């Protein structure tokens, strides 16, 4: 295997989407090699727009080095950061599957970043030639669909406080990938707005279910939070 | 690792120097300097997240770790 190809396969192994923990959907070496052949490395200096919301989706991206932010404009014209992504994470896979798929949000490089771009035509070609790539993508979509299905149920049945309580329990119990969350990110994840997250955090604090430290949300009362999560 | 003095992270490259964070900080912990807004009095910052809320370009991040209350050692 040529050096360049070898280096790409190596880098792709660190992409969470490909590094499955369930054995029957692990991406084979041949599939990784097939993706490595069609990705294009791209370097963006800090503060460059990588993807513009509403424009035609050109490619999916895998982050090799550096950090990006995914954001949308709120109705008030404020940039609402939906997610901060780093090495090993991917973005823009969903619109690639839509006929004239448009980017759902903008993505900006927050540091100098190196990405692997997988262009629309190459992506579809790779899906036909490596069925296990299709399988890992489907698994990722299934995870997202599960989250969205839960969210729809939550939106109908639970208050923001209830959703937040459930989310806090999941995070603190370590059932999700550990990360730090801003209030905008929590709002985007829970299908609400920042203001409601702020109010709910204050309410849970007043009722001594949580404590807000500098940079830490500390859970204090499991029974009360579990009861709250039902509401 | 718990950082007892976590501070809002200001991304100076993204900042447009609009001054909103400086104007709105309830404790005057942040000031405009030549480089841009700087938390000049970290001890006065209460991590209230207002600066993050008012920044129009998402240049300030006040992130929270979510944990159970565990007794700290040492
Ligand atoms: S978090 Fe609050 S106190 Fe700290 S700098 Fe921002 S506005 Fe000021
Ligand atoms: S509010 Fe945001 S853009 Fe305005 S000065 Fe502060 S950090 Fe910069």
């Amino acid at each position: 295997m040529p050096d360049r190809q070898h280096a790409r396969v190596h880098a792709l192994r660190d992409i969470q989407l490909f590094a499955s923990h369930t054995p029957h959907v692990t991406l084979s070496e041949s599939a990784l090699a097939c993706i490595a052949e069609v990705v294009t490395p791209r370097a963006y200096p800090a503060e460059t727009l990588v993807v513009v919301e509403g424009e035609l989706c050109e490619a999916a991206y895998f982050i090799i080095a550096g950090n990006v932010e995914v954001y949308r404009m709120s109705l008030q014209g404020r940039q609402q950061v939906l997610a901060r992504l780093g090495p090993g994470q991917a973005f823009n896979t969903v619109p690639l599957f839509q006929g004239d798929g448009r980017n759902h949000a903008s993505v900006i490089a927050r540091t100098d970043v190196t990405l692997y771009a997988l262009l629309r035509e190459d992506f579809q070609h790779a899906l036909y030639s490596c069925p296990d790539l299709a399988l890992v993508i489907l698994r990722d979509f299934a995870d997202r669909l599960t989250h969205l299905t839960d969210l729809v149920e939550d939106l109908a049945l639970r208050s923001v406080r209830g959703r937040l309580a459930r989310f806090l329990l999941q995070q603190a119990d370590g059932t999700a990938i550990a990360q730090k969350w801003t209030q905008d990110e929590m709002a985007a994840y829970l299908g609400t707005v920042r203001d409601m997250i702020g109010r709910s955090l204050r309410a849970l604090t007043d009722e001594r279910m949580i404590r807000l430290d500098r940079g830490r949300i500390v859970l204090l009362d499991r029974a009360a939070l579990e009861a709250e999560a039902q509401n | 690792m718990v950082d007892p003095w976590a501070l809002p992270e200001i991304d100076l490259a993204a900042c447009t120097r609009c001054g909103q964070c400086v104007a709105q900080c309830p404790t005057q912990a942040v000031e405009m300097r030549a480089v841009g807004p700087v938390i000049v009095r970290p001890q006065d910052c209460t991590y209230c997240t207002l600066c993050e809320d008012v920044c129009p370009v998402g240049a300030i991040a006040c992130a929270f770790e979510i944990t159970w209350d565990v007794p700290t050692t040492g």
Side-chain angles (χ1 to χ4, degrees):
Chain A
M1 199 186 282
D3 278 358
R4 196 187 69 175
Q5 175 77 356
H6 193 269
R8 285 189 191 171
V9 169
H10 187 72
L12 285 169
R13 262 196 218 112
D14 290 335
I15 301 296
Q16 282 163 20
L17 188 62
F18 303 145
S20 166
H21 301 297
T22 32
H24 54 285
V25 283
T26 304
L27 209 52
S28 66
E29 284 296 303
S30 63
L32 279 175
C34 146
I35 302 164
E37 249 169 54
V38 292
V39 290
T40 320
R42 288 191 184 168
Y44 294 85
E47 305 314 316
T48 319
L49 267 174
V50 180
V51 163
V52 179
E53 179 179 356
E55 287 194 352
L56 265 184
C57 166
E58 189 207 355
Y61 297 90
F62 308 110
I63 308 176
I64 305 303
N67 296 298
V68 303
E69 268 177 15
V70 183
Y71 69 89
R72 279 189 178 160
M73 281 307 201
S74 72
L75 290 176
Q76 294 76 31
R78 181 174 166 272
Q79 267 182 31
Q80 190 186 5
V81 178
L82 306 179
R84 292 162 298 145
L85 306 177
Q89 292 180 295
F91 57 91
N92 240 32
T93 49
V94 175
L96 273 193
F97 283 91
Q98 296 166 322
D100 66 339
R102 306 215 164 240
N103 303 320
H104 296 164
S106 298
V107 180
I108 189 166
R110 280 309 188 202
T111 61
D112 292 351
V113 291
T114 306
L115 307 171
Y116 280 177
L118 185 49
L119 298 178
R120 179 185 283 268
E121 314 73 63
D122 293 334
F123 188 53
Q124 288 177 357
H125 184 254
L127 281 177
Y128 286 120
S129 49
C130 344
D132 37 358
L133 171 62
L135 214 54
V136 294
I137 298 276
L138 277 175
R139 187 201 57 211
D140 179 55
F141 284 11
D143 288 347
R144 291 172 196 226
L145 191 60
T146 305
H147 168 65
L148 289 177
T149 312
D150 287 351
L151 185 59
V152 169
E153 187 191 297
D154 272 9
L155 288 172
L157 299 178
R158 292 188 175 83
S159 64
V160 174
R161 270 178 59 155
R163 264 135 64 194
L164 182 63
R166 189 157 91 145
F167 165 79
L168 293 175
L169 285 164
Q170 284 168 347
Q171 288 293 314
D173 286 340
T175 52
I177 295 169
Q179 70 167 84
K180 285 185 161 195
W181 293 80
T182 65
Q183 292 179 47
D184 272 325
E185 290 168 334
M186 289 186 237
Y189 191 77
L190 296 175
T192 183
V193 290
R194 179 195 164 93
D195 202 32
M196 292 297 288
I197 294 291
R199 264 187 263 170
S200 305
L201 283 173
R202 280 193 294 278
L204 296 179
T205 306
D206 289 344
E207 289 170 37
R208 297 181 196 284
M209 292 184 218
I210 62 170
R211 184 177 79 226
L212 286 181
D213 283 355
R214 313 184 61 84
R216 271 209 322 163
I217 298 170
V218 182
L219 278 55
L220 303 174
D221 187 340
R222 180 183 286 277
L225 282 165
E226 281 174 353
E228 190 67 45
Q230 300 306 316
N231 294 322
Chain B
M1 271 293 281
V2 177
D3 174 5
W5 273 105
L7 288 171
E9 276 180 39
I10 306 179
D11 183 345
L12 291 175
C15 164
T16 60
R17 316 294 192 259
C18 76
Q20 279 298 315
C21 53
V22 176
Q24 307 267 346
C25 172
T27 61
Q28 286 85 47
V30 54
E31 276 184 9
M32 192 59 77
R33 292 285 161 91
V35 289
V38 174
I39 300 180
V40 287
R41 279 176 287 277
Q43 70 282 7
D44 288 352
C45 168
T46 59
Y47 214 84
C48 71
T49 79
L50 191 64
C51 52
E52 177 193 52
D53 194 14
V54 298
C55 177
V57 294
I60 304 186
C62 298
F64 290 89
E65 188 189 351
I66 300 166
T67 61
W68 282 105
D69 195 16
V70 278
T72 43
T73 49

